[in-house]
C-alpha cells in the first residue's frame, strides 16, 4: 500500500509539472481521491478531500496557452469565433492563416489586414511589416492604398513591404523582424508548400513572437495544411457578400460588406468549427452572420485549378514575356523582365 501511495504521488507530481509547462485548462487538476498533496504534510488523520486542499496545491490547466488577461488576445468581435478560440487569437504568438487556392489570396490578405486594424485600434499605431518573395507580390499584387484607409483605417505609410529574392531570405527577415517591439505586427506570406517552411522555421518564428509580445501572421497561399508551430490555424475563403442595407431595406443587386468563411483548422484550445464573418469598416470589427442570413456558398469551380507546389526548395523563377506575336526588340524566351516592365506586375490585390 505504501508503494502504491508513493507511485500515485509521483505520477501526480509529474502531471503537475507537465501542466505547468503546457499551460492551463478551465478545469482544475486535482490530486487523486485519498492522496495527499505532494507538498502537504503527511498527516494520516487529515481530511484530503478536494474541498480541503489549499488553493496553492491546485493547478489550473489549459492546453497550449497559459491563463492570460483579456488584452492578451486579439478579439475579432464575433462572439462565436472568439469563444471557440478561448478569447480570440493570441497576440504574442505565430498564427497561421491558410488559403487553399490562389484565388483566395485576396480573402486571406483582407482578413490579415482586418486583424491588423483591430491591433492598431487597441494599442499604439506602430508600423506593420509585410514580408514575401517576389513570386508572392507578382502573383497576388500589393494591397490598394486607398482601400487600406477606407476599409481598415490603416495609413499607407504604416504598412511596410519587404520583397525577398528567396524564401530563405524572407524567413530570415521575418525572424529578425519578429523580435522587434517597434512593429505592431509582422506578416509573412508564403506560396505553396516549400520545404524550408518546416517545424524548425515556424518554431523560431513562434518563439520570437512570444519573446517580443507581438503577433506574427503566417499567410499560406495555395498550400497544403502541414504541421507548424502555430497554435492556431484558420482556413480562409471568400464568402458571398450580403446586399447593402438601406433605410428602405436591402438594396437589390448591390454588394455589401466584405465577408469571409473562417474555419478553425487547428487549435490547441478549440474544436473545429466554421463561421461566416462580415467586416464592418465603420466599427472596425467583425460581425458573425447568422445561419438564416447566409447566402448560397460559392459554387464549385468547373474549371480545373492548378495544384499547389509540394515541398519544393525554392519557388519557380519568374516567367518571361508572353506575346501573341513576336515584336521587334522583344526579349528572348526565358529572359527576365526589366525593372520597368516588372513594375506592371505590382497591381493591387482585392482585399476581402
Amino acid at each position: 500500500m505504501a508503494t502504491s501511495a508513493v507511485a500515485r504521488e509521483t505520477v501526480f507530481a509529474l502531471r503537475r509539472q507537465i501542466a505547468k509547462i503546457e499551460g492551463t485548462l478551465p478545469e482544475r487538476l486535482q490530486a487523486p481521491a485519498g492522496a495527499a498533496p505532494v507538498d502537504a504534510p503527511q498527516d494520516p488523520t487529515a481530511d484530503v478531500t478536494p474541498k480541503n486542499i489549499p488553493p496553492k496545491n491546485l493547478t489550473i490547466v489549459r492546453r497550449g496557452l497559459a491563463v492570460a488577461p483579456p488584452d492578451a488576445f486579439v478579439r475579432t468581435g464575433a462572439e462565436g469565433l472568439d469563444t471557440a478560440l478561448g478569447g480570440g487569437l493570441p497576440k504574442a504568438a505565430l498564427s497561421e492563416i491558410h488559403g487553399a487556392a490562389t484565388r483566395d489570396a485576396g480573402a486571406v490578405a483582407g482578413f490579415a489586414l482586418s486583424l491588423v486594424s483591430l491591433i492598431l485600434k487597441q494599442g499604439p499605431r506602430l508600423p506593420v511589416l509585410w514580408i514575401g518573395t517576389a513570386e508572392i507580390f507578382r502573383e497576388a499584387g500589393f494591397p490598394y492604398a486607398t482601400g487600406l484607409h477606407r476599409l481598415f483605417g490603416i495609413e499607407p505609410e504604416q504598412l511596410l513591404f519587404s520583397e525577398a529574392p528567396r524564401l530563405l531570405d524572407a524567413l530570415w527577415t521575418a525572424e529578425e523582424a519578429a523580435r522587434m517591439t517597434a512593429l505592431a505586427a509582422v506578416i509573412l506570406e508564403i506560396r505553396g508548400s516549400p520545404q524550408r517552411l518546416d517545424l524548425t522555421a515556424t518554431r523560431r518564428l513562434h518563439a520570437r513572437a512570444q519573446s517580443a509580445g507581438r503577433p506574427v501572421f503566417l499567410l499560406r497561399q495555395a498550400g497544403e495544411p502541414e504541421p507548424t508551430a502555430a497554435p492556431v490555424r484558420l482556413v480562409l475563403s471568400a464568402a458571398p457578400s450580403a446586399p447593402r442595407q438601406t433605410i428602405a431595406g436591402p438594396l437589390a443587386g448591390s454588394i455589401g460588406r466584405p465577408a469571409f468563411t473562417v474555419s478553425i483548422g487547428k487549435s490547441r484550445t478549440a474544436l473545429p468549427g466554421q463561421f461566416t464573418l462580415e467586416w464592418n469598416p465603420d466599427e472596425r470589427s467583425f460581425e458573425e452572420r447568422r445561419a438564416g442570413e447566409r447566402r448560397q456558398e460559392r459554387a464549385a469551380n468547373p474549371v480545373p485549378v492548378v495544384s499547389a507546389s509540394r515541398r519544393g526548395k525554392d519557388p519557380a523563377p519568374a516567367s518571361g514575356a508572353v506575346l501573341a506575336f513576336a515584336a521587334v526588340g522583344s526579349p528572348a524566351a526565358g529572359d527576365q523582365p526589366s525593372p520597368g516592365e516588372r513594375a506592371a506586375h505590382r497591381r493591387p490585390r482585392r482585399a476581402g
Side-chain angles (χ1 to χ4, degrees):
M1 295 297 293
T3 304
S4 178
V6 171
R8 284 199 304 268
E9 293 174 6
T10 303
V11 171
F12 182 62
L14 292 174
R15 290 174 62 192
R16 291 183 62 194
Q17 293 297 327
I18 294 173
K20 289 180 180 179
I21 295 173
E22 289 184 346
T24 59
L25 274 176
E27 60 268 18
R28 291 177 179 271
L29 180 62
Q30 298 175 349
V38 177
D39 52 355
Q42 301 296 327
D43 184 0
T45 62
D47 187 2
V48 294
T49 55
K51 63 181 179 180
N52 291 328
I53 297 178
K56 65 186 181 73
N57 293 325
L58 294 178
T59 303
I60 301 177
V61 263
R62 179 186 183 203
R63 289 178 199 166
L65 301 174
V67 168
D71 60 354
F73 299 94
V74 180
R75 294 188 60 85
T76 64
E79 193 63 28
L81 179 60
D82 290 338
T83 302
L85 293 175
L89 286 172
K91 282 185 179 179
L94 173 68
S95 298
E96 182 179 351
I97 306 176
H98 181 90
T102 302
R103 62 186 178 186
D104 297 319
V108 171
F111 189 80
L113 290 172
S114 302
L115 296 178
V116 169
S117 178
L118 295 174
I119 295 171
L120 295 178
K121 186 172 66 172
Q122 296 177 1
R125 300 186 66 83
L126 298 174
V128 176
L129 180 61
W130 193 315
I131 306 167
T133 59
E135 181 195 24
I136 288 293
F137 299 122
R138 182 174 61 249
E139 182 67 31
F142 287 84
Y144 186 43
T146 304
L148 284 175
H149 179 74
R150 186 175 63 86
L151 292 178
F152 309 106
I154 302 174
E155 300 298 334
E157 58 268 18
Q158 286 184 275
L159 193 57
L160 310 176
F161 291 93
S162 174
E163 181 179 322
R166 298 179 304 165
L167 177 60
L168 184 63
D169 301 322
L171 290 173
W172 179 87
T173 305
E175 289 182 21
E176 295 300 315
R179 69 169 67 185
M180 299 175 59
T181 58
L183 297 173
V186 176
I187 300 175
L188 174 63
E189 190 170 10
I190 301 296
R191 178 172 171 80
S193 302
Q195 193 175 38
R196 296 184 183 277
L197 189 66
D198 53 9
L199 275 174
T200 302
T202 54
R203 283 189 186 122
R204 289 199 296 262
L205 290 173
H206 183 53
R208 299 289 177 84
Q210 288 181 312
S211 177
R214 296 289 191 273
V216 177
F217 298 118
L218 175 61
L219 309 188
R220 298 287 307 280
Q221 185 188 117
E224 296 182 347
E226 294 176 334
T228 63
V232 178
R233 175 191 294 141
L234 300 180
V235 182
L236 260 291
S237 61
S241 295
R244 186 173 302 174
Q245 297 293 331
T246 64
I247 299 178
L251 183 60
S254 62
I255 299 177
R257 299 169 178 172
F260 308 90
T261 299
V262 183
S263 301
I264 302 178
K266 181 187 75 169
S267 175
R268 297 177 182 174
T269 60
L271 296 175
Q274 188 176 62
F275 307 86
T276 301
L277 307 183
E278 290 185 352
W279 173 251
N280 188 333
D282 300 318
E283 300 293 335
R284 303 285 194 269
S285 65
F286 285 103
E287 297 177 3
E288 185 175 353
R289 185 183 293 175
R290 303 301 176 185
E293 302 174 354
R294 293 180 181 176
R295 298 298 185 270
Q296 184 178 4
E297 296 297 332
R298 179 175 56 189
N301 191 348
V303 180
V305 179
V306 178
S307 59
S309 59
R310 298 185 179 182
R311 311 305 293 168
K313 293 184 178 180
D314 292 297
S319 58
V322 179
L323 301 175
F325 301 97
V328 178
S330 62
D335 288 353
Q336 298 291 332
S338 64
E341 295 172 337
R342 194 163 177 266
H345 295 287
R346 304 183 179 222
R347 61 187 186 279
R349 76 174 83 183
R350 289 184 58 192

